[in-house]
Amino acid sequence: MAQKLVVIGAGMASGRMLEVLLKSAPEAYDITLFGAEPRGNYNRIMLSPVLSGEKDYDEIVTHDGNWYRENAITCRFNEAVVKIDRKQKRVISAGGVCEYDKLVIATGSASFFIPVMGNDLPGVIGFRDMDDVETMLAAAKTGGEAVIIGGGLLGLEAAAALKAQGMRVTVLHLMGHLMERQLDAAAGYLLQKELESRGINVVCNAHTKAILGHERADAVLLEDGTIIGADLVVMAAGIRPESRIAVDAGLHVERGIVVDDQMQTSDPAIYALGECVEHDEVVYGLVAPLYDMAKVLAKTLTGQQAGFVAPAVSTKLKVTGVDLFSVGDFAEGDGREDIVFRDPARGVYKRIILRDERIIGVVMYGDTTDSAWFFGLLKEATNIADMRETLIFGPGFQGGASADPLAAVNALPDDAEICGCNGVCKSTIVMAINAGADDLGAVKAQTKASASCGNCTGLVEQLLVATLGDGFEAPKARPICGCTDLTHEDLRQIIKSRQLKTMAGVMQECGWKTSCGCATCRPALNFYLLVEWPLEYKDDEQSRLVNERNHANIQKDGTFSVMPRMWGGMTTPDELRAIADAADKFNVPAVHVTGGQRIDLLGVQKDDLPEIWADLNAAGMVSGHAYSKGLRTVKTCVGSDFCRFGTQDSTGLGIKLEKTLWGSWTPHKVKLAVSGCPRNCAEATCKDVGIICVDSGYEVGVAGAAGMDLKKTEALAKVATEQEAMDLAVAFIQLYRENARYLDRPYKWVAKVGLDWVIAQVVDDTDNRAKLCARFELSQSVYRADPWAALAKRENEDPTWPPLADLTLEAAQ
Amino acid sequence: MSHWIDIAALTDIPPRGARVVKTRHGCVAIFRTHDDRVFALDDACPHKNGALSEGLVHDASVTCPLHGWVIDLKTGLAKGADEGEVKTYALKLENGRILLDATHLLNRPAA
Ligand code: SRM
Ligand SMILES: Cc1cc2nc3c(=O)[nH]c(=O)nc-3n(C[C@H](O)[C@H](O)[C@H](O)COP(=O)(O)OP(=O)(O)OC[C@H]3O[C@@H](n4cnc5c(N)ncnc54)[C@H](O)[C@@H]3O)c2cc1C
Ligand code: SF4
Ligand code: FES
């Protein structure tokens, strides 16, 4: 008599297993199939096309009523198994009990509902089965807004589909870029751009705090206070193996139901396969490995030898028009190398990860024609040493092309602004060149491009090369670093004209030759992005060098120095006491009065920083930014308040300036001074901005230096009121922020653009001056804040500075 | 023989960042790259002992915070014109946990 085989779950894995089993041994078992869904097996993968309307449910059914009848399977659909009774070898469902000789658990996964308030409201659903799709389609009928929580494979397919059904769609993604488990930042950037161009709103770094609504969900609240309206909330933040009945039955379950190579669980009469299992500490979420499991289990059940071997799995996104491919485990191993190829004009990005001359990972976006070839090389572990040079170009290519240095300018759209000063766009310049302007001077004369500050000279020259071909030889401009062919100035202009707001975006659109830049370009890029997009761009801590990352100066022995602000060089007995107390409490080895009119505590241990900052904060002091490419100090003299020669309140003006400017990031450090009279006790004549008070007003000088070079300030203007002096200083600094090359002090930058140009911008053009001040103020709405307080709080709540582990306490072998 | 010790979760280290593990031989810096590779090196630059864990991480390299030497995380060798080598230690990632081969780290340094 045939043995009784009971299968729990009529999904893709059990479906395939039954097919194989019935083919090889049709009579071996008397089969009963339980399914919680009110239908048989269908191709779950194709739910997205059903949701988008590209397919009907009928088209994705894999096993219909006929098939089950022909194979004499007893179907108990719409009937979930609630308990496994291992002693008596039977399963229990709403319909009663059912005995087994052998049992197969294939319960798949369930959508993971992130644990926030409101996640159980009607209108919040997962994306797992046909019921979910029907719910979504019903919601989409009335249009409205859908919020998808999770920017992985499932979430993005749901987003694209619901968009196609006419909903307004927002994707909330916790991480910095989409599909971070399959894609790197560059490919994630391209994907986001594509989705946004379809009208899907994508929010990365989005921390969902709650789902709001009374009877049903009507909005999603983020940690930062943003509220996004939602008629439908789709949870696509992950899946959890559906192992509850196995846990209750006392089977060995970790993340999934643990099985051996033969798909046997800890009970020899019970097998499991599919997404509900864990094999060799891995849980799978794609069908290819599950089909391998199905074959192995079918063999095991018929007494044949077979063992499951973990395969490499690749990912594609089933969104029409999005070409994306990823394979390989980016999370393991060392000794790796990268080959990167980017074509900004076509939106193509390819990256191959090698170890020991073999491909172990591939990410492709925009052009995936060669994905199968790469996947093959990866699976076969082919030695690629011989084709290494041309590998990235795919099987069809043997010529060995090199990356095109003009790729970035070629990729610029016609209306991209090249010359910011005079508002000249690419097409205007190209037209002028085509009409005969065949050198820089001619282009300048005819279009005014590069006729002002000159920052766009490099781009104009590249356009000459791109348009005239060999007919024009551009002087070699120095690129930022080896990662790119572009200069600082080119890059700033491209960031602006192409509205690039992420580092990954810049690297892709500008054809970066490395995967994530280097210690030269990353800090510069980070700065350019935050100046251009103060509200949108999020400062990248990992692209800051040691001092700015830790908000303290590193010393040669690895300790740090701590220097609080003393506004305008003024202090109080209370502040001095707090500094003295801190020096005592943290055994500070040296206390130094600096050249910037304040006090430096040197030799503080890194781990003590948050605490010493908190103490200083409690006494009302904030970071002095003695470490930053930003405002350092404003030195003052005692001025008219005390000095018999003082003409104006130099101390007061210095304090006002420092309180306005502090916290801002600049291309290099910026130091100011205000002296109360021409005797100049605050040494204002060698500062980046120095103000000398005189009877009739204020003489504002700029571009002084007293470090490696010594240079007297040059007169910017003389003004009558304190407010004008402030405005001039602020406008000058904003102009410097927006135009200077990263790491040029103001005096170097002014030497390049010319003082006349600066005067035209901030003195003569009062309208422009006001605009510069307004842009500075906008940026300061974000950056005028004490980084010490923020870091001390973070380290207190979620410390990342202490050692990860202390092995000095671990016993020796 | 290797002696693997579970030191932390991968996510305890920021991508393109580093943190240290204290040992009897001094600190060992554990790096995490942009694509989640991990490396362990002595936290001391071959130039003048700069704390490499405070450096800027790019690809599988770190730029020393003190004077800008670039160290290859895979080999521990200084790149470019600089010459020097940092000791590296074997690491592996399992289920999101970082395991460090502490064979040579647990014993007291020879006097
Ligand atoms: C603390 C201080 C010396 C002191 O104890 O007095 C100091 C200390 C350092 N200076 Fe300075 N400078 C200090 C006043 C100056 C001054 C005088 C002044 O500001 O009135 C100058 C000349 C004025 C100028 O900036 O033009 C000065 C010109 C420099 C330079 C050369 C800059 C240049 O463009 O030529 C550097 C190098 C750099 O920034 O690249 C530098 C760099 C440094 C660094 C940050 C070197 C470094 O990267 O580690 C020093 C940090 C020491 C430490 O471990 O904390 N320091 N440095 C002074 C802090 C002033 C403050 O209150 O913020
Ligand atoms: C929208 C979507 C798109 C996808 N796209 C892809 C893709 O492009 N490529 C890819 O490889 N994979 C994709 N997948 C994943 C793929 O569908 C799954 O890996 C696969 O379906 C898992 O098969 P399974 O048999 O383990 O589980 P399932 O197919 O989920 O089947 C499990 C069945 O068991 C039932 N069940 C659960 N508990 C019980 C119980 N107690 N009693 C009775 N029945 C129960 C469930 O209702 C379900 O019907 C996608 C998944 C979804 C949801
Ligand atoms: S002059 Fe400045 S940079 Fe030079 S040793 Fe003194 S503090 Fe350091
Ligand atoms: S100590 Fe590392 S570069 Fe000098």
Side-chain angles (χ1 to χ4, degrees), chain A residues 281 330-338 351 515-519 522-523 540 542-546 549-550 554 556 560 606 799-800 802-808 810-813, chain B residues 3 5 7-8 12-17 19-24 30 34-39 53-59 63 65-66 74 93-95 100 102-103 105-107:
Chain A
E281 300 185 354
F330 296 87
E332 261 172 75
D334 42 357
R336 298 182 180 190
E337 282 170 278
D338 270 333
R351 175 161 163 252
S515 57
C516 68
C518 71
R522 274 217 330 252
D540 178 22
Q542 296 317 125
S543 293
R544 292 204 170 270
L545 299 175
V546 54
R549 186 167 358 99
N550 294 307
I554 196 166
K556 59 193 226 172
F560 287 83
K606 184 176 178 187
T800 61
L804 278 173
D806 186 350
L807 301 186
T808 57
E810 200 87 14
Q813 293 173 310
Chain B
H3 179 80
I5 294 188
I7 48 170
D12 289 334
I13 308 178
R16 298 172 302 157
R19 291 182 62 183
V20 299
V21 170
K22 276 180 143 170
T23 79
R24 293 193 176 98
I30 314 290
H34 71 109
D35 53 358
D36 288 349
R37 289 173 275 167
V38 287
F39 300 96
S53 60
E54 296 288 354
L56 189 142
V57 180
H58 43 100
D59 271 348
T63 297
L66 290 197
K74 293 171 286 192
L93 264 178
E94 271 179 21
N95 296 318
L100 172 67
T103 318
L105 289 170
L106 293 182
N107 300 315

Side-chain angles (χ1 to χ4, degrees), chain A residues 8-15 34-37 41-48 79-82 106-109 127-129 153-154 157 242 245 273-276 284-288 290 314 316 318:
Chain A
I8 309 176
M12 296 190 70
S14 68
F34 283 90
E37 293 182 61
N41 189 16
Y42 54 93
N43 189 347
R44 194 175 305 283
I45 293 181
M46 287 299 161
L47 284 178
S48 308
E79 195 174 337
V81 169
V82 293
T107 44
S109 305
F127 183 18
R128 183 69 200 171
D129 58 27
L153 198 90
L154 277 187
E157 291 190 3
E242 181 52 88
I245 48 172
L273 83 164
E275 282 185 350
C276 59
Y284 292 92
L286 294 170
V287 287
L290 310 187
S314 63
K316 281 193 175 180
K318 298 184 304 302

Side-chain angles (χ1 to χ4, degrees), chain A residues 363-376:
Chain A
V363 183
M364 307 178 88
Y365 190 96
D367 174 2
T368 53
T369 22
D370 300 330
S371 59
W373 185 67
F374 287 124
F375 194 21

